[in-house]
């Protein structure tokens, strides 16, 4: 019985660590606006104009 509790606790702790890692990686990669280029759809160069 103790082995089953240990296995379940290990799965829960491992899942929590994995979820925290994924959230940390995703938030750090999406919040770094200095390193990421601006949106491709918003072009700052006006092609075909006399700028």
């Amino acid at each position: 019985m103790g082995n089953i509790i240990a296995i379940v606790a290990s799965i829960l702790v491992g899942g929590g660590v994995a979820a925290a890692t994924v959230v940390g990686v995703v938030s750090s990669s999406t919040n770094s606006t200095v390193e990421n280029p601006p949106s491709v759809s918003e072009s700052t160069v006006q092609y075909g104009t006399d700028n």
Side-chain angles (χ1 to χ4, degrees), residues 19-31:
T21 303
V22 168
V23 168
V25 168
V26 169
S27 66
S28 69
S29 65
T30 56
N31 288 337

Side-chain angles (χ1 to χ4, degrees), residues 2-21:
N3 289 339
I4 295 173
I5 294 174
I7 291 171
V8 171
S10 175
I11 291 172
L12 292 176
V13 170
V17 169
T21 303

Side-chain angles (χ1 to χ4, degrees), residues 15-50:
V17 169
T21 303
V22 168
V23 168
V25 168
V26 169
S27 66
S28 69
S29 65
T30 56
N31 288 337
S32 59
T33 57
V34 175
E35 296 177 3
N36 292 334
S39 177
V40 178
S41 62
E42 297 176 6
S43 64
T44 57
V45 177
Q46 299 289 329
Y47 295 104
T49 60
D50 293 330

